Amino acid sequence: MQWDLVCTSRWKVPLEQTTHLLGWTLGSITAGLACDRFGRRSAFVVSLVLAVPLGLSVTLAVNFVMVLVARLLFGAALAGAFLSLYVARLELCDPPHRLGVTMVAGFFWIAGELLLPGLALLCRDWRVLQGAVTMILALLAACWWCPALLLESPRWLLATRQLERARKILQALAESSGPNSSNGSCHQESFLAELESLSEGSPQSRYHAVCEIFGTRVIWKNSVILGFTAFIGSGIRHCFTRNLNPHLPHFFSSYFVLVGTEAAACLFICLTAERFGRRAVLLLCTILTGISSLLLLALTQYLLDLIVLTLSVVGVTASHAVTMLSIFFASEVLPTVVRGAGLGLIMGASFVGKAAAPITAIPNSRGFFLHHVVFASFAILAVLSIMLLPESQGRSLPQSLQDGESQRRPPLFRRPPREDHLPLLAPHGIPHDYSRLAASTKRMLSPPAAPCET
């Protein structure tokens, strides 16, 4: 009630929430471009440093317009720090540990969400809460300013031909890893010697623009599909949370249920995506999201409250899993030279879907039913499009655009090997001409004819 945001002006509250989420969209796209041009570490440090004064500007806002602008820019700075750290963390992991490290970081995010209501109860005022969050960011920026705590991604340096910087960082990582076996030391020395020989000619650094994605076929297809699924997973979540609210008694109950379902989705991905593959788990979660949404859309007034509550919880959990796995999947199939920009576009699409939810919360709004119908239809369409994706489980990250284009779609289910390989022996490259194959085999097996007597 500070600026009379009630009654006829109540629509400004959802507007502020949408503006903040659009700031995350803007920050994801901008930081993605900066990651591919200036590096992951540079984008992270700059975003974190900018977040401190922007957070203070939100705290010191004197009118509603200033709050809107400050929250927009503050969200952009937070998105830049989140994206650059996400990409840098992924590129420092080997294939067996990429999923686990990313999900552990997701659990830390969830722990922060669980601590936020307690911090809000202690602060009691939104300005004090914003100031406390800004001070935490200031401490983080001061700690991460040391280069030894967050090194630049050597994978990105090698992909952009910055060999001298890559050699120094890899040498620092090798020295900090402790004593190794003689075999490992020999491999490290040979690798560093190879880097030194390559950097003798002072090769020119080469950066790639996000526009190059539009000139590809496989990378463009994968980016569109995963951006579409991330958009659906974030946008459809409001359709389930609206059905949860009437069944939850306390004010903070819906918040804790959402955080709990996010933790359950994160745990589900940890247990299944490494075993069954990214594509199969993403397909399963999208199917669960679509089925739950369609059942709630058509049968809510005929179902028991317990069934409605169960479908809503399943739908929220599955939609969380769709969003998280789509972003992680995209980070594995996008090549290193455009990973930041491509992932920024996909994260931006997910925040656009999330930004549509506050609009439907405007009083006297009639758009919730249309919102539910559109996103339920999109979920069914996403099920078909996921079948076109490749599988990235256990594979190394693609480096160049050529590596990204070489990814092919495997079968969804493993087929048993065929026992009949005879068509491969067909002459003249005609695999189904069994008559020629039989005639050739008969001639080879028949005994030679006796010589004619004269």
Side-chain angles (χ1 to χ4, degrees):
M1 297 177 62
Q2 183 173 359
W3 292 304
D4 197 26
L5 303 182
V6 293
C7 299
T8 57
S9 298
R10 191 179 175 184
W11 59 272
K12 295 181 180 180
V13 177
L15 177 63
E16 182 272 332
Q17 299 170 355
T18 302
T19 303
H20 182 63
L21 292 172
L22 291 179
W24 277 78
T25 302
L26 177 64
S28 299
I29 298 173
T30 306
L33 297 173
C35 282
D36 291 337
R37 181 61 182 84
F38 304 105
R40 283 59 165 138
R41 170 181 163 76
S42 301
F44 174 74
V45 173
V46 171
S47 299
L48 202 57
V49 170
L50 288 177
V52 177
L54 291 173
L56 290 176
S57 65
V58 177
T59 306
L60 303 175
V62 296
N63 53 48
F64 182 72
V65 176
M66 185 175 177
V67 169
L68 284 182
V69 177
R71 289 278 289 172
L72 174 72
L73 299 177
F74 183 61
L78 292 178
F82 177 83
L83 174 66
S84 53
L85 186 60
Y86 191 100
V87 176
R89 181 176 56 239
L90 180 90
E91 292 179 346
L92 288 173
C93 296
D94 54 343
H97 300 96
R98 283 199 302 255
L99 179 66
V101 171
T102 304
M103 293 299 109
V104 167
F107 282 118
F108 276 99
W109 177 277
I110 293 169
E113 290 179 329
L114 290 174
L115 292 176
L116 185 59
L119 187 61
L121 286 175
L122 291 175
C123 295
R124 293 289 181 178
D125 185 78
W126 71 270
R127 291 185 187 273
V128 179
L129 176 62
Q130 180 67 37
V133 172
T134 305
M135 289 301 103
I136 295 173
L137 292 175
L139 293 175
L140 186 61
C143 293
W144 283 104
W145 189 257
C146 179
L149 295 178
L150 180 62
L151 297 175
E152 184 56 82
S153 169
R155 187 182 295 273
W156 174 76
L157 293 174
L158 291 173
T160 54
R161 302 180 184 179
Q162 302 180 63
L163 301 180
E164 183 60 29
R165 290 182 61 190
R167 183 185 65 81
K168 293 179 180 179
I169 292 178
L170 289 173
Q171 189 170 5
L173 288 173
E175 292 174 355
S176 63
S177 61
N180 296 321
S181 63
S182 58
N183 190 19
S185 301
C186 293
H187 283 302
Q188 290 177 3
E189 291 177 0
S190 62
F191 181 68
L192 293 175
E194 184 180 355
L195 281 179
E196 288 181 358
S197 63
L198 290 175
S199 59
E200 288 177 355
S202 299
Q204 186 68 29
S205 302
R206 183 181 178 186
Y207 304 100
H208 294 261
V210 68
C211 301
E212 297 183 33
I213 295 180
F214 303 113
T216 61
R217 185 176 62 87
V218 177
I219 299 175
W220 168 246
K221 176 200 68 177
N222 296 337
S223 302
V224 170
I225 293 175
L226 292 171
F228 184 55
T229 54
F231 170 75
I232 293 168
S234 297
I236 204 173
R237 198 170 302 148
H238 178 67
C239 305
F240 301 116
T241 56
R242 186 157 177 172
N243 289 314
L244 285 174
N245 292 330
H247 304 281
L248 301 175
H250 303 292
F251 175 75
F252 287 109
S253 299
S254 59
Y255 180 83
F256 284 117
V257 167
L258 287 178
V259 177
T261 55
E262 189 174 356
C266 196
L267 181 62
F268 176 77
I269 293 175
C270 285
L271 297 176
T272 57
E274 198 63 46
R275 180 180 177 86
F276 302 104
R278 283 59 160 150
R279 190 177 62 153
V281 176
L282 181 61
L283 181 63
L284 173 63
C285 294
T286 309
I287 291 174
L288 289 176
T289 303
I291 292 177
S292 301
S293 178
L294 290 175
L295 290 176
L296 290 174
L297 184 64
L299 303 174
T300 299
Q301 55 184 343
Y302 305 107
L303 297 176
L304 298 175
D305 291 345
L306 181 60
I307 298 178
V308 172
L309 183 61
T310 303
L311 288 175
S312 300
V313 172
V314 171
V316 171
T317 306
S319 63
H320 275 301
V322 168
T323 303
M324 287 189 289
L325 192 53
S326 297
I327 294 173
F328 176 75
F329 200 171
S331 65
E332 288 192 320
V333 299
L334 287 170
T336 302
V337 292
V338 291
R339 181 170 293 120
L343 197 60
L345 291 174
I346 292 172
M347 282 189 178
S350 69
F351 288 118
V352 168
K354 191 180 294 186
I359 298 176
T360 60
I362 296 176
N364 301 323
S365 175
R366 305 290 184 180
F368 174 72
F369 180 77
L370 180 62
H371 177 93
H372 200 165
V373 170
V374 170
F375 276 95
S377 305
F378 283 169
I380 302 302
L381 181 60
V383 171
L384 303 177
S385 61
I386 290 172
M387 305 290 291
L388 303 176
L389 292 173
E391 181 55 64
S392 60
Q393 177 192 3
R395 298 182 180 179
S396 59
L397 297 176
Q399 292 289 96
S400 61
L401 293 175
Q402 291 77 14
D403 295 338
E405 284 292 286
S406 64
Q407 301 175 103
R408 292 294 178 262
R409 176 179 60 87
L412 183 62
F413 302 103
R414 295 181 180 178
R415 300 175 181 176
R418 296 178 58 184
E419 298 180 359
D420 184 12
H421 297 290
L422 289 178
L424 298 177
L425 303 176
H428 307 294
I430 305 176
H432 298 294
D433 195 351
Y434 290 97
S435 60
R436 290 187 180 184
L437 179 63
S440 301
T441 306
K442 185 177 181 180
R443 284 197 302 269
M444 287 189 295
L445 297 178
S446 61
C452 298
E453 295 182 358
T454 56

